[in-house]
Structures are given as structure tokens and as C-alpha cells.
Amino acid sequence: MRRRSQLIAWKVAGRVSDRHTSADEVVRETGWVFNNATGDHLTLADFVATGDEEVPAYLEAFGLRGPDNHQKTMIEIGSGIGRMTAAFTREFGDVIAADLDIGFLERCHETVSRFGRADHLRTLEVADGRSLALADDSVNFAFSYLTLQHCAQGDALNLAREAVRVTRSGGQIALNFRGPSRLDPLLLPLGIVVRNAFRLPRIGEWLSQRRSITRLAWQVSRISPSQVLASLDGSIDGVTIWSGGPVDDLQGAFRRGRFDGINQNHWWITATVV
Ligand SMILES: C[S@@+](CC[C@H](N)C(=O)[O-])C[C@H]1O[C@@H](n2cnc3c(N)ncnc32)[C@H](O)[C@@H]1O
């Protein structure tokens, strides 16, 4: 099978993180891949501190924080090296960190061992970038942040369906997407050009470690709430679409939530699995 170009940047970052012996070095070299922070003095502790702030903020905003969370199982789709996973393992009794890259998952385990609860952690490789090797009804909560926007549209919609499939009836999903914007006619074609350049021997690897170039390569898909709702039709209830500003195609019988911390181009869906 031809390697899908939207996966290359992550695989390269995974190899780079594998080569470093210190976790602080990994954060300095590849931390920008996860939350855009750069700096010669960044440490794993600084990096995890951003997740420690964001996890309770999102859970509280979405009404998903509760005393019984420590009895629940959750999956984080696109965990990376554990920026948010450490906080999730303090909140939930059983956390499945799922990612495309096995090197990131090893680092995630390390991060959680230092800053979270490794005894609450399992990892899961998303080998094909679109399906979860888990039985139906395995978790109470499925979460994904800054990940589905980097997947091809078909893969992102499939992962959303997978999130619902692995979540028990009555459980919750909270999934983050990037919606269409005015710059897309420029950004999306540039993304294709850069991703194709990633296939070039040697040059590709070099390119995919350059921050501004890789940010272009990340411009893979834009997905609107109506596409996700159509794809999950009949399998979810109590839908809320959250945004930090207006979302274009918001029509239908669901609630709208406003959360000022959300990037203007992003939106979230929260829902209960039926
Ligand atoms: C921008 S990082 C976000 C990581 C984490 N959610 C955070 O906020 O720190 C995106 C992560 O998604 C993973 N990823 C990208 N495409 C994926 C796919 N198709 N399936 C699973 N993981 C994927 C990447 O390997 C990377 O770790």
C-alpha cells in the first residue's frame, strides 16, 4: 500500500523523538508538533502543565467532570507524547492512549509515569490511521483534540464512528474538528504540495522537521458539523456543537455551546452514545 502522505509528518516526528534520550530534549525538538510551543528551555514539565490546565477546562466546560470519573474508562484518540494524557490518568481510572505512532506512545508512557498515573494507562496503536482495535462498548468516554483535523476526511469521519462504536450506550464523546475557513482555497492546495514533497527521499525527512513547512502539510481536511452529524446519524443523542465563534452550517436540532478558549477555526461535538 502506498504510504498515505498525511501520516508522514507524524511518523518522522516519532522517529525524531525516538532518537533523543532525554524527554526534555524531545519536547524542545518535537514539542511544537503538539501544541506549537517552542523554546530552548522548554521542559517536559512545562509541556505537561499546558495539558494540566486544558483537561479540567474542557471537561468542566463540557459538563464531563464528575466524582465517578475515576471509575470510568476513556480513550484519547491522538494522545501524542502525553501532553494531556497525564492529566487524564489522574481524572480517570483507566485511560487508553491511542496514536498513529508507536514511538509517541512509548514517550506517552514515560510522560505519564513521571506526571500522571501509569497504573491507569494502556496504549493502543492506530496502525491504519482510521480504526481502533478495541471491542464495541469498551469505554465510557471518547476524547480527541487537535488530531481529526490532521486526518484525511474519510479517516476522520471513520475515527468519529469508531469513537462512538467503542463507547458504551450512555457514554460520552467529545471530539474536536477544524471547520472550513476563507483561507482554505490557498492552504489546502499548499498542503497537498508539501505532503507530496515529503515523499522525496532525504529532502522529505528534512522538510518534515521544519515547523512552518510542516504546519502547511497539516492542512489536510476541513469538516463541518453537518458532515459529522450525517456520519453519526442515529448513533448519538444530546448533541452540542461548541465553538469560539460562529460556525457556518449550524442548522438542526442540537444545542450550541460557546467556549471562548476554542480556536476560531475549531469546533467540538459533545454527545451521548445511544
Ligand atoms: C497535534 S498532535 C495532538 C496531540 C494531543 N492531542 C495534544 O493535544 O497534545 C496530533 C496527534 O495525532 C496523531 N495522529 C495524527 N493522525 C492520526 C490518525 N489518523 N490516527 C491516530 N492518531 C493520529 C499524531 O501522531 C499526533 O500525536
Side-chain angles (χ1 to χ4, degrees):
M1 185 175 68
R2 188 173 174 167
R3 195 161 173 198
R4 291 179 295 158
S5 63
Q6 74 274 12
L7 310 184
I8 295 175
W10 307 108
K11 289 289 180 188
V12 172
R15 282 206 297 278
V16 172
S17 73
D18 252 0
R19 286 203 286 266
H20 294 299
T21 45
S22 119
D24 294 335
E25 208 182 339
V26 170
V27 167
R28 284 192 282 273
E29 291 296 321
T30 58
W32 58 269
V33 161
F34 304 101
N35 71 345
N36 263 324
T38 55
D40 292 343
H41 303 290
L42 273 184
T43 62
L44 185 63
D46 300 329
F47 183 70
V48 171
T50 65
D52 287 357
E53 260 181 46
E54 287 173 29
V55 166
Y58 280 118
L59 292 178
E60 261 159 42
F62 298 153
L64 295 171
R65 206 152 192 223
D68 57 346
N69 274 357
H70 69 279
Q71 292 165 350
K72 293 185 179 170
T73 299
M74 73 157 291
I75 182 165
E76 182 190 8
I77 302 170
S79 61
I81 62 173
R83 187 179 73 86
M84 300 176 99
T85 324
F88 279 130
T89 60
R90 285 183 241 112
E91 178 87 19
F92 290 88
D94 185 18
V95 175
I96 303 169
D99 203 282
L100 190 65
D101 189 80
I102 198 116
F104 287 160
L105 289 174
E106 278 166 24
R107 290 290 178 179
C108 178
H109 198 278
E110 226 178 294
T111 303
V112 171
S113 302
R114 276 179 64 189
F115 297 97
R117 294 279 308 260
D119 55 330
H120 291 186
L121 180 71
R122 290 185 270 160
T123 57
L124 177 75
E125 184 188 5
V126 187
D128 63 359
R130 64 194 322 266
S131 48
L132 303 173
L134 275 185
D136 296 358
D137 307 327
S138 300
V139 307
N140 306 96
F141 175 43
F143 176 95
S144 185
Y145 183 47
L146 297 178
T147 295
L148 299 171
Q149 60 179 284
H150 300 304
C151 302
Q153 190 176 101
D155 290 352
L157 292 175
N158 205 63
L159 283 171
R161 283 192 295 273
E162 285 285 271
V164 170
R165 179 185 68 74
V166 302
T167 303
R168 288 172 203 141
S169 172
Q172 312 288 320
I173 58 164
L175 307 175
N176 161 252
F177 293 88
R178 184 176 169 126
S181 73
R182 270 179 306 138
L183 285 178
D184 292 346
L186 179 69
L187 289 179
L188 294 177
L190 276 173
I192 293 170
V193 171
V194 174
R195 287 197 300 282
N196 280 325
F198 278 3
R199 292 185 196 284
L200 300 172
R202 285 193 297 277
I203 299 171
E205 174 140 351
W206 182 84
L207 283 176
S208 55
Q209 288 175 61
R210 310 267 93 66
R211 185 164 172 263
S212 48
I213 292 170
T214 300
R215 282 171 63 86
L216 280 175
W218 284 341
Q219 311 301 323
V220 179
S221 62
R222 305 291 189 251
I223 302 184
S224 62
S226 59
Q227 289 171 299
V228 174
L229 289 166
S231 176
L232 302 182
D233 191 31
S235 60
I236 51 171
D237 207 357
V239 173
T240 305
I241 302 292
W242 301 83
S243 66
V247 175
D248 281 351
D249 78 335
L250 272 184
Q251 291 151 10
F254 47 80
R255 288 184 301 156
R256 292 153 200 234
R258 190 175 169 104
F259 178 26
D260 289 331
I262 299 177
N263 176 305
Q264 289 294 306
N265 295 317
H266 289 190
W267 60 273
W268 288 80
I269 181 170
T270 59
T272 303
V273 172
V274 295

